[in-house]
């Protein structure tokens, strides 16, 4: 085995980490990472098996616990994020659920921002309460509300910034201060910003989660998730849960995601540039009631966006005033697909009210700012001029709807 692993202490650039982080070649000297599609491992003696199980001998035991292909992806992600440890899971939701459930106990309390991905909302408001864990939802932009919601038994703060699909932001540094003063850990769903657009751990977060399905694969091929934190959280809380409850990722999917990381920076940089230009174009067109993009000066938290994000991200949302206008806009698109994924190389339009957020109560949706006319655009890698022409045509269709 090639042991020339890059460690977080090596002074290497992000781009180099994306391509080479965690690379561990076998004796064959393969160029591309090998895929270890194996459920288990064998031992050369009974004594070796005993030592392996006792944790005295380094090595793999069973792919529900760890696998060499998953380890490449985990090391690469940890390097990019600047985290001590990383574990990858079968989906983004498996990372979120396992991350919270492994840490919380009956009687604990969670404070979360109201603007959340639909399934995160279900975990916090429906599933955790069944086990005696209560959640208070607050307006993520209101620091006084975060402070007021803290209780002596608050052990976790959960938030998403920018939030799906409204692109509302939460001040990570300020909320982390409130959380830590009260003895709570800060869990951040960093999907929208991507690992390149925002570094929550540097801003005070304790645990960062990703749906790797989004930008990390970014090519619509497989599901995956990741959790990054310090070694203590991973060893004392996450791993015991992960080993016994089985949210492990398939080695094949881990390989796809590791290859996805190799092109992440060039994809996300291009997609971000197009998203920013398109947001400016839509704003100048005037056909939408509002356009939201963190790096537009008109974003209500623009100053915060510039302070905590490295780039504005690949998602733009716009409000066309009514469901009818939103549908006219979406149906007039010829290049942009109608779907519910995001972060993909192919641009995607979503109407959250009738799709991703339809399971929510009407008043919860209203409180989150998900209006009838809201459309979420995930900007891909198509030629910018083609995307602008497509959106221009759709805005015209919405106006005459
Ligand atoms: C997609 C998504 C998830 C869930 O990820 P899956 O890989 O689909 O399980 C969680 N949070 C956010 C913000 C997402 O966009």
């Amino acid at each position: 085995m090639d042991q020339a692993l890059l460690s977080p202490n090596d002074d290497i650039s992000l781009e180099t980490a994306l391509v080479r982080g965690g690379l561990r070649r076998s004796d064959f000297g393969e160029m591309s990472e090998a895929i270890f599609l194996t459920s288990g491992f064998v031992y050369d003696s009974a004594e070796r098996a005993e030592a392996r199980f006792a944790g005295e001998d380094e090595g793999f035991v069973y792919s529900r616990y760890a696998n060499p292909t998953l380890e490449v992806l985990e090391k690469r992600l940890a390097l990019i994020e600047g985290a001590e440890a990383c574990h990858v899971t079968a989906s983004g939701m498996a990372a979120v659920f396992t991350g919270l459930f492994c840490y919380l106990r009956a009687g604990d309390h969670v404070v979360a921002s109201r603007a959340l991905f639909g399934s995160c909302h279900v975990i916090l408001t429906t599933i955790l309460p069944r086990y005696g864990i209560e959640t208070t939802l607050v307006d993520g932009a209101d620091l006084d509300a975060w402070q007021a919601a803290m209780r002596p038994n608050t052990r976790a703060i959960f938030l998403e910034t920018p939030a799906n699909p409204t692109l509302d932001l939460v001040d990570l540094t300020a909320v982390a201060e409130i959380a830590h003063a009260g003895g709570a850990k800060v869990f951040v769903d960093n999907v929208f910003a991507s690992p390149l657009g925002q570094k929550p751990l540097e801003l005070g977060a304790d645990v960062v989660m990703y749906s790797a399905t989004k930008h990390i694969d970014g090519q619509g091929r497989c599901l995956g998730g990741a959790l990054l934190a310090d070694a203590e959280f991973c060893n004392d809380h996450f791993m015991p849960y992960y080993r016994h409850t089985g949210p492990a990722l398939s080695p094949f999917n881990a390989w796809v995601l590791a290859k996805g990381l190799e092109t992440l920076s060039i994809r996300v940089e291009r997609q971000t540039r197009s998203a920013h230009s398109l947001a400016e174009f839509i704003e100048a067109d005037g056909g939408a009631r509002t356009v939201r993009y963190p790096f537009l000066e008109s974003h209500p938290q623009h100053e915060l966006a510039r302070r905590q994000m490295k780039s504005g991200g690949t998602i733009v949302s716009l409000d066309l005033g009514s469901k009818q206008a939103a549908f006219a806009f979406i149906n007039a698109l010829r290049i942009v697909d109608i779907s519910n994924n995001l972060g993909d190389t192919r641009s995607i339009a979503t109407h959250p009210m009738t799709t991703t957020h339809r399971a929510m109560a009407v008043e919860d949706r209203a409180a989150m700012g998900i209006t009838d006319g809201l459309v979420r655009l995930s900007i891909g890698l198509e030629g910018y001029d083609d995307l602008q022409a497509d959106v221009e045509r759709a805005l015209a269709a919405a106006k005459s709807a």
Side-chain angles (χ1 to χ4, degrees), residues 40-376:
F41 301 84
V42 296
Y43 318 99
D44 52 19
S45 67
E47 288 78 8
R48 183 62 71 92
E50 182 183 31
R52 195 72 61 86
F53 270 77
E56 290 154 6
D57 181 47
E58 284 231 0
F60 297 96
V61 173
Y62 192 50
S63 288
R64 171 149 46 78
Y65 305 170
N67 170 287
T69 311
L70 271 65
E71 204 177 81
V72 171
L73 176 61
E74 289 168 342
K75 291 219 155 98
R76 197 167 288 174
L77 279 169
L79 209 51
I80 301 163
E81 196 73 34
E84 282 178 17
C86 171
H87 293 291
V88 291
T89 54
S91 69
M93 288 322 302
V96 170
F97 182 73
T98 311
L100 289 170
F101 213 69
C102 74
Y103 184 65
L104 296 168
R105 306 275 177 280
D108 286 348
H109 174 244
V110 181
V111 184
S113 54
R114 187 169 286 123
L116 293 173
F117 182 71
S119 295
C120 297
H121 188 267
V122 172
I123 288 177
L124 289 163
T125 61
T126 309
I127 301 176
L128 293 183
R130 276 198 235 146
Y131 299 89
I133 300 156
E134 214 187 316
T135 299
T136 303
L137 297 179
V138 298
D139 171 357
D142 183 352
L143 293 176
D144 294 336
W146 284 103
Q147 183 64 64
M150 293 294 291
R151 298 182 195 164
N153 61 338
T154 306
R155 283 187 77 227
I157 292 263
F158 182 88
L159 62 92
E160 193 182 308
T161 181
N164 175 26
T166 53
L167 305 179
D168 292 325
L169 307 186
V170 178
D171 187 331
L172 282 167
T173 312
V175 170
E177 252 172 55
I178 294 169
H180 293 154
K185 279 199 193 294
V186 179
F187 293 73
V188 176
D189 179 338
N190 202 40
V191 168
F192 264 53
S194 91
L196 305 186
Q198 181 169 271
K199 298 269 179 235
L201 296 177
E202 287 174 8
L203 299 165
D206 301 289
V207 182
V208 177
M209 289 111 127
Y210 289 103
S211 165
T213 318
K214 310 298 165 56
H215 303 87
I216 293 173
D217 172 32
Q219 291 154 84
R221 299 169 296 189
C222 65
L223 298 182
L227 177 139
L228 298 110
D230 60 21
E232 189 202 346
F233 183 86
C234 287
N235 295 336
D236 297 353
H237 298 285
F238 192 81
M239 263 327 261
Y241 231 87
Y242 177 91
R243 289 165 69 108
H244 298 298
T245 59
L249 182 67
S250 149
F252 182 79
N253 289 359
W255 180 83
V256 171
L257 296 169
K259 301 311 275 182
L261 282 177
E262 293 183 20
T263 56
L264 184 73
S265 71
I266 52 170
R267 281 187 285 113
V268 168
E269 274 168 28
R270 236 301 266 300
Q271 290 172 229
T272 298
R273 221 179 315 133
S274 291
H276 196 159
S277 300
L278 210 53
E280 286 172 344
F281 172 77
I282 296 167
E283 189 163 61
D285 176 272
R289 209 173 264 190
T290 54
V291 191
R292 277 284 185 92
Y293 185 73
F295 274 26
L296 276 188
E297 272 173 36
S298 58
H299 190 290
Q301 297 158 292
H302 178 248
E303 181 273 328
L304 172 62
R306 293 280 177 182
R307 184 152 40 88
Q308 80 180 8
M309 299 177 71
K310 294 177 193 302
S311 67
T314 62
I315 321 280
V316 179
S317 66
L318 57 154
D319 189 342
L320 292 152
S322 67
K323 178 181 168 186
Q324 192 187 358
F327 274 28
F329 176 92
I330 290 173
N331 287 331
L333 293 164
R334 288 189 208 150
I335 291 172
V336 178
D337 285 314
I338 306 169
S339 186
N340 40 266
N341 196 5
L342 62 93
D344 202 87
T345 55
R346 299 191 179 137
S347 297
I348 290 168
T350 311
H351 186 244
M353 178 215 168
T354 52
T355 60
T356 51
H357 291 70
R358 70 169 296 131
M360 288 178 75
V362 176
E363 52 290 0
D364 288 344
R365 217 161 41 216
M368 267 180 66
I370 300 172
T371 55
D372 297 6
L374 188 76
V375 172
R376 184 185 82 191

